[in-house]
Amino acid sequence: MTALTLFMIILAYLGGSVSSAVLISRLYRLPDPRAHGSGNPGATNVLRTGHRSAAVWVLLIDILKGTLPVYLGWFLGITPLYLALIGMAACLGHMFPLFFHFRGGKGVATALGTLLPLGMDMAGLLLLTWLVSLGLFGYSSLASLITALAAPLYVYFIKPEYTLAVALLSCLIILRHHRNISRLYHHEETPILNRFKRR
């Protein structure tokens, strides 16, 4: 591993450690997402405050945290294996942020961002899977779990050299959803679409 690659991995982790949900919530004078709703500092939980534009900004920034370091690594000529490590570092930064006492989010949006450089076909499949799952079941967490399970399969047919890295990342995302899985099993998870159906 070269010094440049190691630098990019560290940079990706530090960038991922910037919690956009916390910072955007402070900017909009919203409740701290770590102490509100599900307690997860992510776009879905910020959406529970009722402020859609704040949630959109969180989503976009979280995606960019994954996309930018991977694109930069590709531009610098870093090999696919190490590009995958850079992407994983960005997601680990989001999940266990250095600057926020290692209390991070689930990493779904950041993981999507790391996969965008693989092509719009990959991004489109992931987004379609998430939207269809959300439309069918109404749970953001379940849609994320289904998408995480499908991602390695999509990668295998589109860019097979990244299959192992994406599979590991999917496993990490699923593990981060262990509380959601428990709530889904006990029928205690709140459908995200309920808020809009009541309006």
Side-chain angles (χ1 to χ4, degrees), residues 2-140:
T2 66
L4 175 62
T5 301
L6 182 59
F7 171 77
M8 287 301 304
I9 290 173
I10 295 172
L11 184 66
Y13 172 77
L14 293 176
S17 291
V18 177
S19 181
S20 62
V22 175
L23 296 177
I24 292 294
S25 293
R26 289 176 185 173
L27 182 65
Y28 278 80
R29 301 183 185 276
L30 299 173
D32 189 325
R34 296 169 296 180
H36 170 79
S38 67
N40 178 59
T44 299
N45 202 30
V46 173
L47 182 63
R48 290 189 176 98
T49 65
H51 212 300
R52 297 184 189 181
S53 65
V56 169
W57 276 112
V58 172
L59 178 64
L60 290 176
I61 294 171
D62 284 351
I63 290 174
L64 286 174
K65 288 194 303 185
T67 303
L68 291 179
V70 174
Y71 261 131
L72 181 58
W74 173 82
F75 178 78
L76 294 172
I78 294 175
T79 60
L81 174 61
Y82 293 131
L83 282 179
L85 292 179
I86 291 169
M88 291 184 71
C91 293
L92 286 170
H94 179 84
M95 294 175 182
F96 308 103
L98 177 66
F99 309 126
F100 293 87
H101 309 290
F102 301 100
R103 292 181 58 195
K106 303 289 189 346
V108 176
T110 305
L112 173 62
T114 67
L115 297 177
L116 287 179
L118 297 184
M120 293 310 296
D121 49 356
M122 182 68 192
L125 282 170
L126 292 172
L127 182 60
L128 181 63
T129 301
W130 191 87
L131 289 173
V132 169
S133 300
L134 182 66
L136 288 175
F137 305 108
Y139 297 97
S140 176

